[in-house]
Amino acid sequence: MASRGPLRQDFGPGYSSAVPGLPSRPLPAMSKAARGPPDMRQLCKAFGNLVGPPLLFMFVSSLLSFKLHFQLEGLIWIPALAGLLVPAYLAHRTEKHAMEHRLDRSWPRLSMFLFSIAAISGIIFGALNYWYAAWPSYALEGLRIYSDIDASETQGARLLDAGLVNFAKGSRVLTDLAMSYTDQETYCVAPITTNRGTKNKDTGLASYDLWAAGVGCCSPGQSNFKCGDFDSPDARKGLRLVDPSQLEYFQLAVQQAEAAYNLQVGHPLFFTWVKDADQGLGNFFRTAFKNFIVANVFHAGFNLVCVVAFVVLFAGSGKDTGLAALDEY
């Protein structure tokens, strides 16, 4: 008598067993997307992942990059962190819903990844862009403007609240007394004075307190100061340098100038030497805005590559459709 293979018994819809009398566990239901080509829901998911993360990056980075950050200070981190936590929470809820209903979880996982990257990178970029590019312009707006200042007769203590100084006619940068301090970057300084402040064996000022300064615009150990509009005969304006991370190095450069040229320095203040103060002040904002545009374009491109790669490698091959429901089976 020929042997028979195992008999299959059906125990109702969704049940199957190869052993008679022993019902098997129910097979998970396959979603509609698992049985056919991508439908409108899949297209909506793709569109949401294409548009949502770049908009989140733009929102968070704009919050932290510009004047609202200066006005709200620490409070700005509340909406910025909300931009990170709210999308992450929604993506988590979506994945949990997909698990409970045996739906595809690959799209929620992609969303969680892309939105998290957008929020975190937006926070990091926005903070850096604000402190290194935008903040100086907003800080200078709150300081005073001084006019017709004779650098050879003015002590630094008189200009502690200065944001912009219009120096008197005949003022210039004394590049012969320039000095630098190098710590990864080269920090350059040179005194602002008049012809009366030219240093030689018979003349000189009692105190050199006002200094033109810049980063990376001179050679280490040499008096070749080339910062700002140093060579313009019409330049007589100074934009105050207020970045704390730079001021300590400018101070060290001045101390070296004191020792090298036998100068007397009381309360040194540092300025960018410019011909057009409005243009110089606007350069801070233009730099910050340019960085903002470039960062948003770069992030949108990165996000596009991630979504396209996901669709090609997973959604297009069916690996993301329904098969994830078998994970818990």
Side-chain angles (χ1 to χ4, degrees):
M1 181 177 180
S3 62
R4 296 182 178 179
L7 298 177
R8 299 187 65 87
Q9 288 187 342
D10 293 329
F11 296 89
Y15 285 83
S16 178
S17 174
V19 181
L22 181 63
S24 68
R25 295 173 59 188
L27 290 172
M30 304 294 281
S31 65
K32 178 181 178 181
R35 301 190 299 268
D39 57 10
M40 185 58 66
R41 288 174 297 177
Q42 298 287 73
L43 296 178
C44 290
K45 292 175 183 178
F47 181 77
N49 282 283
L50 278 174
V51 176
L55 289 178
L56 177 61
F57 180 89
M58 181 184 298
F59 169 74
V60 173
S61 61
S62 63
L63 275 180
L64 295 176
S65 285
F66 300 116
K67 196 165 188 175
L68 195 60
H69 189 171
F70 184 78
Q71 294 172 334
L72 297 181
E73 297 182 342
L75 294 177
I76 196 66
W77 290 101
I78 296 176
L81 292 177
L84 170 63
L85 298 177
V86 172
Y89 172 76
L90 294 177
H92 172 72
R93 288 296 303 269
T94 303
E95 181 175 3
K96 184 178 180 181
H97 174 80
M99 287 182 60
E100 292 174 350
H101 294 81
R102 299 185 180 276
L103 301 175
D104 172 30
R105 285 181 287 158
S106 54
W107 280 108
R109 290 172 178 174
L110 176 67
S111 298
M112 182 176 294
F113 170 76
L114 292 180
F115 278 93
S116 297
I117 290 294
I120 294 173
S121 60
I123 289 174
I124 295 174
F125 164 76
L128 293 176
N129 193 37
Y130 173 75
W131 286 112
Y132 288 99
W135 178 77
S137 67
Y138 302 134
L140 290 176
E141 288 178 359
L143 299 177
R144 289 183 59 185
I145 299 176
Y146 286 85
S147 299
D148 200 28
I149 296 297
D150 188 339
S152 64
E153 299 178 352
T154 305
Q155 296 182 344
R158 286 184 52 196
L159 304 175
L160 294 180
D161 59 350
L164 169 63
V165 174
N166 297 301
F167 290 96
K169 187 176 181 179
S171 300
R172 64 189 182 94
V173 176
L174 197 59
T175 57
D176 293 341
L177 299 182
M179 184 54 67
S180 65
Y181 178 84
T182 301
D183 185 351
Q184 296 183 345
E185 297 280 358
T186 301
Y187 299 85
C188 315
V189 296
I192 301 171
T193 185
T194 62
N195 290 333
R196 195 167 74 84
T198 303
K199 178 70 176 175
N200 55 46
K201 64 179 181 179
D202 298 320
T203 64
L205 301 180
S207 180
Y208 291 83
D209 285 0
L210 308 181
W211 295 76
V215 179
C217 46
C218 64
S219 299
Q222 300 182 22
S223 300
N224 60 342
F225 186 87
K226 298 180 180 179
C227 305
D229 297 327
F230 75 100
D231 57 348
S232 173
D234 298 325
R236 287 191 292 112
K237 301 178 186 296
L239 282 175
R240 180 84 170 271
L241 290 168
V242 292
D243 187 348
S245 66
Q246 296 179 345
L247 293 180
E248 59 178 316
Y249 297 108
F250 291 141
Q251 293 272 10
L252 293 173
V254 168
Q255 291 176 19
Q256 293 190 158
E258 284 186 271
Y261 304 121
N262 193 26
L263 304 178
Q264 296 296 322
V265 179
H267 195 295
L269 301 179
F270 303 98
F271 300 88
T272 300
W273 188 251
V274 295
K275 175 182 177 181
D276 188 338
D278 292 333
Q279 181 179 0
L281 191 61
N283 283 338
F284 292 112
F285 178 79
R286 282 189 290 270
T287 299
F289 189 73
K290 179 181 178 181
N291 293 341
F292 175 76
I293 295 297
V294 171
N296 275 270
V297 171
F298 179 83
H299 175 265
F302 167 80
N303 189 80
L304 174 64
V305 170
C306 288
V307 174
V308 171
F310 174 84
V311 171
V312 171
L313 296 177
F314 298 101
S317 63
K319 293 179 181 179
D320 72 316
T321 54
L323 296 181
L326 295 174
D327 293 346
E328 302 297 327
Y329 182 69

